[in-house]
Structure formats: C-alpha cells, structure tokens
Amino acid sequence: MAKIKQKYLYIMGAAAVAVIAALTAVHIYYKDRWYPGSSIDGLKVSGMTYEESLDELKETADRYSITVKGREKGTLTIKGRDIGLKVKSLDSVKELYQKQHKQSVIFSFMKKEQKNLKDTIDFSEKKLSGLVKKSVLVTGDDGYKLTKPEDAAIEYSKEKKYGVLKKEIEGNILDQKAFVRRLSEAIKELKTSMDLTDQKTYPGVYKEPGLRIDDSELTRMQEIYNQYLLHWIQWDMGNDTKETMTPEVLKDCIRVNTKKRTVKLDKSAVEDWVEKFCLKYKTVGIARKFTTHSGKKIKVEGGDYGWRIDYDKEIARVLKLLKKAPSKKLMETYQKDPSDKNQKAMTVNLKPVYFNKAYRKDYQNPQNDWDHKNYSEVDLSAQEVFVYKNGKRVFSANCITGKPTPDRITRTGTYYVKEKRLTKTLVGADYSVDTKYWVRIMWTGTGYHWSKRSDWGLWSPGRYKVTGSHGCVNLQLSDAAAIYKLVESGDPVFIHY
C-alpha cells in the first residue's frame, strides 16, 4: 500500500513539473510578442513581435483595398491609397503592447479584456464620400441599371379577374449616408470585403419599399379594392343592346395610395366613364337627313330633339351602387371561380333614365330616331309652316319668325313639341303679350302661337327681316288654331333655311 501511494505522488509531481514547464515556456514565448487573441483594427497580431506587428500594419495599410458586393451583381472597389489610408498613431499601438505586458500572459488568458486596438487607421472621409458618389453603385451605367424600390401593391389580374397582391421591388438604390457610414466602419477594421446583399449584417444601406406583401395593412387595402372593383352594372339599352360597367373599367377608377394606406374611388374617373356612356347614345343635336316641303334633301343639325340619358341621375345611382360592397359570400365565390355564372350573380341590371326621349332607337343609323310620318316644318327662307300627319302634308301657312339679330333670331335645328296651352302671356325684357294657341318648341321660349299683328296684309318672305318676332313663329289666328289641333307633344319640329 505504501508503494502505491509513493508511486501516485511521483506521478503527480511529474505532472506538476510538466505544467510549470509548459507555463514557463508560454511565458517565455510571449515575453516579446503580442498575447493570444490580440488584433489591431481587425488585423490579427497574436504571436507577433511588436516590430513585426508594426511592419504588418503598415504593409496592410499600403496595399489595402475593399471590394463591395451590391445587389444586381454590382461591385465597387475602394483602394486605400485613393482615400489616403494610413496608420494614424504608432504611440497608441505601443501603449496597448506595454499595457499587455504589465501582467502575465497566463492571467491574460483568464481575463476577458479587450485585446483589439481600434481607431489607429486614418483616411479621408471626404474622399471616400466622393468616390462613392461617383461609383457605379450610385450612378449606374449601361451594364448596371438602377432600380427604385417599389411598395408591394394591389393590381388588377386579367387572369384571375380581381385585385391581387404584387410583391414589392427591393431595388438597388443606396442610402448614401448609411452606406458611407458602414463602409467607413469596415475600412477602419481593415475588412477587405462587404456583401451588401446580406441584409442582416448591413441593414438599411439600401432604400427600402415602405410596404411589403406580408403587411396586414396591404391585405386590408386589397379587400377594400375588391369591394369597389367587383361590380357589374348593366344597362338594357333596347334593340338587344346592353352597356356594362365592368371591373375592367373600374380598375382605372380606383386609387390606391400605399404611403397613406388608402383605397378610394375616383369619382371624376367614374363620372368620365358615365359621361362617355351617355354621349355614346345621345342623338340630340345630331345632323338628320330631311326632305323639305319642296322635295329638296338637306341636313338639319342642332336643336334638342333626340335621345339623351340623364347624366346626373345615372352618376348618382352608379356611385351609390359602387359604394355599397357586394356580399362577402358572392365575392368569395367569384374569387374562387370567376365564371360567367358567378359574374352574373353579381350583376346589377338597370334601364337608363332619360332626360330626353325620341320616337325610336336605331343604333345602326342614330339620326333615324324621329317619326317620319308625323312632324312639322318651319322654312325660314320661305316663311312658311308645314304640318305632316301619317306621312302626308296636311297643312301649310304663312308665318313671321324672329328678326335675324342675335337676341331675336329663330334658331335652326330639330326640336320637339314640349307643351300646348290654349292661352299664354308672353313676357320679355320690353314686352308682355297675351296670346292664344301656344305650342312650345324650345325651352328658351320659342313656339307657335297667334300674333295679333297689324301688318299681316303686308306679309312677304322677307318681312321677318324688318318686323320679325322675338324668336317665336307668329301665326294668324285660324292658322295657329289649326296647328294647335294637329301637332302632338313630342312631335319633331324641323326649322331650317
């Protein structure tokens, strides 16, 4: 037992001697060297002598360059000599070295002290900023196109037929201040490369989109967008003709502002579409082919006869429909299957509201909208009125129309009978006259009526040029009575020279 104990003590003693010898060797080795883990601005000098570390630091500064890898395969290399890179202070290096050697290398292993000396490298920040500003990463060129970041967006999908989310575009536009700051930090640490595509290491060096596809706000905006978009408003125009406001139309009437997080209906864009729709079916004022009492074929344009959709009423009801979201169930069903059947389920059917109506609809020949058998005609050159019933001329009479001055002229065009009154007081700026057999032709006040004139015996085709009316078609009593009886409300009235 004593022999075993003696052998154990011998082994322990030998081990202790070995440890002491090893520690002594370490101490001797690092007596004139940088301690393990030491670095100067990122340059590892562990195990180097002081002189070796200075030489290595100077050589590194002299040959230094850093290569930056950007997005879209963009690269930038900055050489130390181009920015005046140099070792700023040798005294600070010596100070750290001496501080290390005031304690044993053994204790240096045990302590968590900072062994990295920083800010010994100096260079021109101004020169660095200038090089960055002129670099291809900032200016771009034919081989490196600059792309601005774009927010994730909502767009109409022709394939899916509703609004879908479009992924953001990261772009490759640098935030120059942030980039120069991070580049400067890398140079001070004598790093030889930077990978800007590593967003975790270098966040914020690129300008970023403000809204990404996984943002809950974008999903909310998409829902509002589709509530406006998924409307079909269809008008039955007659003659097997329909006009439909569809999502294809509405996609251009919705304004999405990702910065303000808003989705709004563009009222003016909707109004423009409805206006074009109304004008498409408007026949008021168009040129109509007309055969006069003398058999001459002419075109008469202007006037207020014809079809005219009530624009204000159509706008009001369209906006009301668009502001009301379709049922959630119908929307979800359509988005899963944008079929004709599911589209039909979401379609609102309307009939147009007219401000003016004509006799017939003829979409192949719109000017053919009047009753060719029942109408009246005023020939201003002949100063005669003609009435046609059932396709035949049944009455004619002399008349006196407006004096050809801007304030009294009888306007040409195709109008229609708007009202009939047995008696009427005509009032103007300088007159007030009681009359009979009033037949309104124009809303401005022009109409057929009896005029108690004293100059009927002097009538001639040119009489109106001297003693013409204030715009009305003056008639003798019996003629006014006959016309009053023959014409009906809505009958066309052609006035021409």
Side-chain angles (χ1 to χ4, degrees), residues 82-302:
D82 293 333
I83 56 174
L85 188 135
K86 61 183 179 180
V87 178
K88 180 169 60 176
S89 172
L90 294 178
D91 290 340
S92 59
V93 178
K94 188 173 183 180
E95 184 181 341
L96 178 62
Y97 181 82
Q98 291 174 342
K99 184 179 178 181
Q100 272 194 349
H101 287 78
K102 285 181 180 180
Q103 60 182 2
S104 170
V105 67
I106 307 303
F107 291 105
S108 178
F109 276 120
M110 298 170 63
K111 288 185 178 181
K112 296 180 179 179
E113 67 176 38
Q114 176 60 260
K115 300 184 180 69
N116 182 27
L117 181 64
K118 294 185 177 181
D119 298 327
T120 61
I121 296 300
D122 190 26
F123 58 90
S124 171
E125 295 274 2
K126 185 176 181 180
K127 288 182 178 179
L128 178 63
S129 296
L131 289 173
V132 168
K133 188 176 182 179
K134 294 177 181 178
S135 72
V136 70
L137 294 184
V138 173
T139 63
D141 61 18
D142 292 340
Y144 185 72
K145 300 295 182 182
L146 295 179
T147 304
K148 292 182 179 180
E150 289 184 16
D151 289 352
I154 303 163
E155 63 178 18
Y156 177 73
S157 169
K158 288 187 176 181
E159 179 185 355
K160 295 185 176 181
K161 300 181 181 178
Y162 59 84
V164 299
L165 297 182
K166 176 186 175 185
K167 196 176 187 308
E168 68 277 2
I169 294 176
E170 296 292 346
N172 59 348
I173 304 297
L174 284 167
D175 181 328
Q176 288 188 55
K177 288 185 178 180
F179 172 52
V180 169
R181 183 174 64 252
R182 299 304 297 269
L183 179 58
S184 179
E185 291 170 358
I187 293 172
K188 287 176 181 178
E189 294 178 10
L190 294 176
K191 290 183 177 179
T192 57
S193 65
M194 283 180 74
D195 185 356
L196 301 185
T197 63
D198 181 356
Q199 294 186 9
K200 290 183 178 180
T201 305
Y202 300 106
V205 295
Y206 282 103
K207 292 184 179 180
E208 298 182 3
L211 194 63
R212 298 184 182 278
I213 197 168
D214 57 357
D215 195 307
S216 60
E217 274 292 283
L218 191 63
T219 304
R220 179 189 65 81
M221 292 163 66
Q222 180 192 23
E223 184 177 350
I224 297 172
Y225 179 91
N226 281 322
Q227 286 174 354
Y228 282 133
L229 181 83
L230 295 179
H231 283 90
W232 284 262
I233 304 174
Q234 188 170 84
W235 289 265
D236 184 350
M237 305 305 299
N239 290 10
D240 296 322
T241 301
K242 296 184 187 298
E243 195 73 29
T244 309
M245 175 177 266
T246 66
E248 280 280 354
V249 171
L250 290 170
K251 66 180 172 55
D252 298 323
C253 301
I254 304 171
R255 300 292 172 257
V256 178
N257 189 320
T258 54
K259 290 183 179 179
K260 294 183 178 180
R261 307 293 196 266
T262 58
V263 180
K264 294 182 179 180
L265 189 66
D266 187 337
K267 184 181 175 182
S268 63
V270 175
E271 290 173 343
D272 287 345
W273 187 89
V274 174
E275 181 180 16
K276 290 176 183 176
F277 156 57
C278 292
L279 290 174
K280 181 178 178 181
Y281 294 94
K282 179 184 176 183
T283 63
V284 169
I286 65 173
R288 293 177 177 83
K289 295 177 181 178
F290 175 71
T291 302
T292 69
H293 61 94
S294 64
K296 184 179 179 181
K297 293 182 179 180
I298 63 172
K299 282 187 177 181
V300 178
E301 60 183 330

Side-chain angles (χ1 to χ4, degrees), residues 11-27 106:
I11 293 171
M12 290 295 291
V17 170
V19 169
I20 292 170
L23 291 174
T24 301
V26 169
H27 183 78
I106 307 303

Side-chain angles (χ1 to χ4, degrees), residues 49-87:
T49 64
Y50 175 69
E51 290 74 16
E52 287 173 343
S53 69
L54 291 183
D55 291 341
E56 183 67 21
L57 187 60
K58 290 177 182 178
E59 287 180 18
T60 299
D62 289 341
R63 66 175 182 267
Y64 177 77
S65 69
I66 183 171
T67 299
V68 181
K69 176 185 175 184
R71 292 177 181 172
E72 308 297 332
K73 299 182 180 180
T75 59
L76 167 65
T77 298
I78 300 290
K79 294 182 179 180
R81 63 173 177 269
D82 293 333
I83 56 174
L85 188 135
K86 61 183 179 180
V87 178

Side-chain angles (χ1 to χ4, degrees), residues 284-378:
V284 169
I286 65 173
R288 293 177 177 83
K289 295 177 181 178
F290 175 71
T291 302
T292 69
H293 61 94
S294 64
K296 184 179 179 181
K297 293 182 179 180
I298 63 172
K299 282 187 177 181
V300 178
E301 60 183 330
D304 61 7
Y305 182 86
W307 294 99
R308 192 174 99 187
I309 298 172
D310 193 319
Y311 168 80
D312 291 330
K313 289 184 179 179
E314 291 298 348
I315 279 292
R317 63 176 178 168
V318 166
L319 289 174
K320 185 177 180 180
L321 287 169
L322 294 179
K323 289 175 181 178
K324 182 179 179 182
S327 82
K328 191 172 182 180
K329 184 177 179 181
L330 284 176
M331 286 180 64
E332 289 175 349
T333 301
Y334 175 80
Q335 286 175 304
K336 288 178 182 177
D337 177 22
S339 62
D340 291 343
K341 178 185 175 182
N342 291 331
Q343 175 184 316
K344 188 176 181 180
M346 298 184 71
T347 301
V348 176
N349 295 294
L350 304 174
K351 287 188 178 294
V353 178
Y354 288 100
F355 187 88
N356 245 51
K357 290 186 177 182
Y359 180 69
R360 66 165 65 88
K361 293 176 180 177
D362 185 342
Y363 296 130
Q364 298 300 316
N365 187 16
Q367 63 92 29
N368 188 33
D369 60 351
W370 55 285
D371 185 350
H372 291 244
K373 293 185 177 181
N374 299 285
Y375 60 93
S376 58
E377 172 191 357
V378 180

